[in-house]
Amino acid sequence: MYTLIIFLIILSILVIAHEFGHFFTARKAGMRVFEFGLGFPPRAFGFYKDPKTKKWIFVKGRGKSSLKETIGGDGAMEEYPDTLYSVNWLPLGGFVKIKGENGENPDDKDSFGYHKPWKRFVVVVAGVTMNVILAGVLLGFGFMIGLPMDISEFKDSQAIVGQSEVVIQEVSKDSPANKAGIEFGDKVISINGEKMVNTEKLVNYVREKGGVEMEIKVLRANKEMTFKAIPSILEKHDDNVLRLGIISADIATVRFPWYISLYKGFEAAFFGFINIFTLFIVVIKNLIMGKGLAYDVSGPVGIATIIGQSARLGINYLINTAAMLSLTLAVINILPIPALDGGRAFFILIEGITRRVIPIKYEQLAHTIGFALLMLLVLVVTVQDVFKLVR
């Protein structure tokens, strides 16, 4: 229950920040916003401010809300005299319904379709921008209290607090480490009784000792655990080097003075966005080339587990995880996939370049199919996460 509550809080913050970007820029551009929703329909409840009485009105039930309308199948409909702020039953994201977002009422000045392509593009990508800004703010606050980060190439030694630890960042599927039970976040203490003071020593030790069984002692959630694994040659590498199948980093707490921490937070958010985007491109390229996924993919259940583990490690770990999730959400949404912000922005770019409006029925069909495929992917990954938990 604790993990679920923390997960829902973090998810809500990320979604509200993202959708607020769309909401704010749409209102600034003069567009009418029908609904600001947390989660996807059917609707549970909502509230709006009556423009005549200036009182907040509570509404309950589905109303005219539908999943098909929300994802782009039909035009957004006006239900109330002002923006409805709603909570919906499908907790996998959020949405902002803007008048004319699917091409209807193009002659109304408060319609999305009335405005020039560049204004619509700004509104569409504003959610991604807000997620990057949120990550910058979180990291900036984190740097005030101290954040765990990779210091292998960190130049400001005065900002490092305490000793560094060798922490597992990735574990390859079907690798010796994966089969032994080693997981992301494990802190490597020693191998065969020899203390691992940094990643360089760990890598050199594994390569020098060859294919002998290794007893790996790690620290997981403040509990020492021991695993046994034999390094082997991994198929995804073209050399004959023996590996455990892990990527580790030298992690230490980094803290900056309050007057530069926010700047450092936004700097870290920018480079974090670039790194995550690059990783996604590599993953997509490998899938297209038939190489499959090199690492496990987590859905809502897996992400909730990671958030729960981070919360138990401390507020600084939780802040770091929330910031990385915000950046990941930004990267996913900017990809040109129908039903996501990147897909909608792609159609607007085509219109701006060709000076021709793409028929609404084709765009709606693309968004509907894209959303259905995304939901199917979420379902498959969620089932996979559940099986991991029960194994």
Side-chain angles (χ1 to χ4, degrees):
M1 182 59 70
Y2 171 80
T3 295
L4 177 61
I5 292 173
I6 297 296
F7 169 70
L8 291 177
I9 292 174
I10 295 297
L11 178 63
S12 297
I13 292 172
L14 300 186
V15 170
I16 289 172
H18 181 94
E19 298 305 330
F20 179 77
H22 298 310
F23 174 79
F24 178 79
T25 51
R27 293 281 287 263
K28 282 295 182 181
M31 302 174 190
R32 172 76 185 280
V33 179
F34 290 145
E35 185 173 355
F36 187 129
L38 181 62
F40 286 108
R43 182 188 302 148
F45 63 88
F47 51 91
Y48 69 93
K49 189 175 184 180
D50 191 308
K52 294 182 179 179
T53 64
K54 304 301 180 182
K55 294 182 178 179
W56 287 96
I57 309 298
F58 178 82
V59 297
K60 183 179 179 181
R62 176 174 179 175
K64 297 180 181 180
S65 177
S66 71
L67 185 60
K68 183 179 180 182
E69 174 198 340
T70 301
I71 64 174
D74 295 314
M77 296 180 289
E78 179 180 6
E79 292 185 72
Y80 303 99
D82 202 355
T83 302
L84 177 72
Y85 302 91
S86 67
V87 176
N88 300 268
W89 286 114
L90 192 58
L92 296 175
F95 63 92
V96 170
K97 288 183 183 178
I98 304 172
K99 180 179 178 179
E101 61 185 345
N102 294 308
E104 65 275 13
N105 307 115
D107 297 325
D108 294 353
K109 291 185 178 180
D110 61 350
S111 171
F112 180 83
Y114 172 85
H115 293 273
K116 294 180 180 180
W118 74 265
K119 280 191 176 182
R120 285 181 277 140
F121 183 85
V122 169
V123 172
V124 168
V125 301
V128 169
T129 304
M130 278 301 300
N131 278 127
V132 177
I133 292 174
L134 175 62
V137 172
L138 287 172
L139 291 172
F141 176 74
F143 281 136
M144 289 185 192
I145 62 175
L147 277 185
M149 62 179 295
D150 185 359
I151 62 166
S152 56
E153 297 181 3
F154 192 72
K155 297 179 181 179
D156 191 354
S157 59
Q158 293 184 345
I160 299 174
V161 180
Q163 297 293 320
S164 65
E165 298 173 302
V166 180
V167 182
I168 304 298
Q169 301 295 292
E170 293 178 359
V171 181
S172 298
K173 292 175 62 176
D174 300 323
S175 66
N178 180 242
K179 294 176 181 178
I182 294 174
E183 299 178 357
F184 162 81
D186 287 346
K187 300 175 183 178
V188 181
I189 300 173
S190 64
I191 299 180
N192 290 341
E194 186 164 343
K195 187 176 180 180
M196 295 293 112
V197 294
N198 54 44
T199 294
E200 182 180 6
K201 181 172 182 179
L202 186 151
V203 171
N204 291 335
Y205 185 89
V206 172
R207 292 184 177 181
E208 290 173 2
K209 298 300 179 181
V212 300
E213 184 177 72
M214 296 186 174
E215 187 175 270
I216 306 165
K217 183 179 290 186
V218 306
L219 186 66
R220 180 185 300 172
N222 296 321
K223 181 180 179 181
E224 287 192 5
M225 306 178 72
T226 302
F227 302 95
K228 294 183 179 180
I230 302 175
S232 62
I233 298 173
L234 303 183
E235 292 183 2
K236 70 173 187 174
H237 295 282
D238 297 329
D239 51 36
N240 293 320
V241 177
L242 296 172
R243 292 179 168 88
L244 286 171
I246 60 174
I247 295 178
S248 62
D250 300 329
I251 304 296
T253 299
V254 173
R255 185 184 301 148
F256 292 102
W258 64 269
Y259 51 86
I260 62 169
S261 60
L262 191 60
Y263 162 75
K264 291 293 185 179
F266 276 95
E267 182 182 54
F270 173 78
F271 287 108
F273 179 86
I274 298 298
N275 291 336
I276 294 172
F277 184 83
T278 303
L279 178 61
F280 266 85
I281 297 300
V282 171
V283 169
I284 293 172
K285 184 189 74 172
N286 288 343
L287 286 173
I288 294 174
M289 297 179 65
K291 294 183 179 180
L293 293 171
Y295 307 101
D296 289 335
V297 176
S298 292
V301 174
I303 294 172
T305 302
I306 294 172
I307 289 176
Q309 293 171 344
S310 300
R312 290 181 177 87
L313 290 173
I315 186 63
N316 50 355
Y317 284 87
L318 183 60
I319 289 173
N320 209 2
T321 299
M324 292 306 104
L325 286 176
S326 189
L327 292 175
T328 302
L329 180 62
V331 169
I332 292 174
N333 268 283
I334 203 61
L335 295 175
I337 300 173
L340 297 180
D341 294 341
R344 296 180 185 277
F346 181 70
F347 280 106
I348 295 174
L349 283 175
I350 292 177
E351 178 187 339
I353 294 172
T354 63
R355 305 292 182 181
R356 296 179 61 184
V357 179
I358 298 174
I360 295 299
K361 62 179 181 180
Y362 296 130
E363 183 174 347
Q364 290 176 347
L365 179 62
H367 293 318
T368 302
I369 294 174
F371 184 83
L373 292 175
L374 285 172
M375 290 300 99
L376 178 60
L377 176 62
V378 169
L379 178 61
V380 171
V381 175
T382 300
V383 172
Q384 182 182 30
D385 288 340
V386 172
F387 276 122
K388 288 179 185 176
L389 291 176
V390 300
R391 279 190 305 190

